[in-house]
Amino acid sequence: MLGVAGLLALRSLATEGGVPLPNQLQDLLTLAFSVIVESLPFVILGILLSIVVQAWLPDDLLQRYLPRNAVLRRFCISLFGIALPVCECGNVPLARGLVMKGFTVSESMTFLLAAPIVNPVTIITTHAAFGFDDGILVARILGGLAIANIVGWLFSLHPRQDDLLTPSFAAECARGDHSEGSRPQRSLAIFVRETSVIMPALFIGALIAGAIQVAVPREVLVSLGSNPLWSVLAMMVLAFVIAVCSSVDAFFILPFASTFLPGSIVTFLVFGPIIDVKMLAIMRTTYTTRTLVQLTVVVGLLSALIGLVVNVLA
């Protein structure tokens, strides 16, 4: 939180205090601050929901009604986002809470990847932006569910699930929740623990996202918009760089719809909520670097395939 306050103070000095800063640095601060402001409410909401899962729900409540079949179980978990209007940033602490509650790492990934796309806010805003034109809304929902379940299945094949986690978080999961005191006291302890882990990652990710946006000219991406293959790849790069929240990304990308092919728009809307510089920084608090590299490659290939299929069918 001190980092966010420092960034806000520096930006205020530059805009109101008359302190001269290079234009690129001012742009970086503005972009980074906008990412933080956009993401922070959802991160807090995600932490609060994680507290509910860890401290207030009975241990077996979420597990009790899930199918025993692993594939059906992961599919049901991928639908959890329907009841949770949280963007991708806030889903990380919630996914951590699921692991602490006894879900496997691959199941937490299935939730984490699907939730920002199938949540009602994202569906409503995507429909408001595109309606049912070119199948963009349907392709986004089905593509997000497909990617989440395929990735969950692939990582479920790992013989040692804990090896997918950072050593610190794996050790925390092994210890379990041995917090003493009342539920409010445990809730406060979880809030302090999660904010101390997630907030610095959000701050660093926002700065990186701002720096990349300043360095990469958008004109380069727009020039590739009419090619079926390069438009898809360009939109993946744009989604990775911009790091915009899934609840508003449909409105962000709408002006590009007249330049880029429908498949590339779908790729942006599917890839962005799962993999961007901000999300990688936040997910690094939970998953190892090797896991994130594998996750990025698989999600990137699947997102590109979905975009190419839509381009062919559109």
Side-chain angles (χ1 to χ4, degrees):
M1 295 300 289
L2 291 177
V4 176
L7 180 61
L8 177 60
L10 185 58
R11 182 172 177 269
S12 298
L13 285 174
T15 55
E16 300 176 6
V19 178
L21 291 176
N23 289 335
Q24 286 189 324
L25 181 55
Q26 290 186 29
D27 292 341
L28 187 156
L29 292 175
T30 299
L31 291 168
F33 185 72
S34 66
V35 170
I36 292 173
V37 169
E38 182 182 73
S39 305
L40 193 57
F42 293 102
V43 172
I44 297 298
L45 178 59
I47 292 174
L48 294 177
L49 289 172
S50 179
I51 290 171
V52 171
V53 169
Q54 295 184 63
W56 294 88
L57 293 184
D59 288 342
D60 63 343
L61 180 63
L62 294 176
Q63 307 264 17
R64 189 184 306 164
Y65 301 105
L66 289 173
R68 293 186 180 275
N69 179 273
V71 175
L72 291 177
R73 179 183 173 89
R74 284 192 297 271
F75 179 74
C76 291
I77 291 171
S78 70
L79 298 176
F80 279 5
I82 294 175
L84 301 169
V86 182
C87 81
E88 59 269 25
C89 310
N91 283 319
V92 175
L94 188 49
R96 290 166 59 90
L98 291 178
V99 177
M100 293 289 293
K101 207 66 174 179
F103 286 75
T104 67
V105 178
S106 59
E107 289 171 348
S108 78
M109 286 184 177
T110 304
F111 162 78
L112 181 61
L113 272 56
I117 294 177
V118 301
N119 85 65
V121 175
T122 299
I123 293 173
I124 290 170
T125 56
T126 305
H127 180 268
F130 296 102
F132 291 101
D133 294 345
D134 299 313
I136 290 175
L137 173 61
V138 174
R140 182 182 202 186
I141 296 172
L142 295 181
L145 287 172
I147 290 175
N149 282 274
I150 290 172
V151 170
W153 169 70
L154 287 174
F155 279 101
S156 72
L157 302 177
H158 197 288
R160 295 181 300 277
Q161 294 267 299
D162 286 350
D163 289 351
L164 302 172
L165 301 173
T166 60
S168 58
F169 185 57
E172 189 176 321
C173 293
R175 289 195 302 271
D177 184 11
H178 300 298
S179 302
E180 298 180 355
S182 64
R183 283 180 172 176
Q185 290 173 325
R186 292 170 58 200
S187 298
L188 179 60
I190 294 171
F191 183 83
V192 172
R193 182 185 70 211
E194 291 297 317
T195 52
S196 66
V197 172
I198 299 296
M199 291 303 181
L202 173 63
F203 179 72
I204 294 171
L207 283 175
I208 295 173
I212 294 177
Q213 288 185 63
V214 170
V216 178
R218 293 192 188 182
E219 294 78 8
V220 175
L221 300 175
V222 173
S223 65
L224 304 173
S226 60
N227 183 283
L229 174 60
W230 289 111
S231 64
V232 167
L233 298 179
M235 274 298 172
M236 289 176 62
V237 173
L238 183 63
F240 184 81
V241 168
I242 295 299
V244 66
C245 177
S246 65
S247 60
V248 297
D249 59 359
F251 294 119
F252 170 86
I253 205 61
L254 181 59
F256 291 82
S258 59
T259 306
F260 281 77
L261 295 172
S264 61
I265 301 296
V266 172
T267 300
F268 177 93
L269 295 174
V270 170
F271 183 75
I274 301 174
I275 302 294
D276 61 38
V277 289
K278 165 178 53 62
M279 273 299 289
L280 287 179
I282 298 176
M283 287 193 292
R284 185 61 184 85
T285 63
T286 305
Y287 307 108
T288 65
T289 300
R290 181 176 181 177
T291 301
L292 292 180
V293 170
Q294 294 171 341
L295 179 66
T296 301
V297 171
V298 173
V299 172
L301 290 174
L302 292 174
S303 299
L305 176 61
I306 292 170
L308 291 173
V309 169
V310 172
N311 276 341
V312 171
L313 298 178

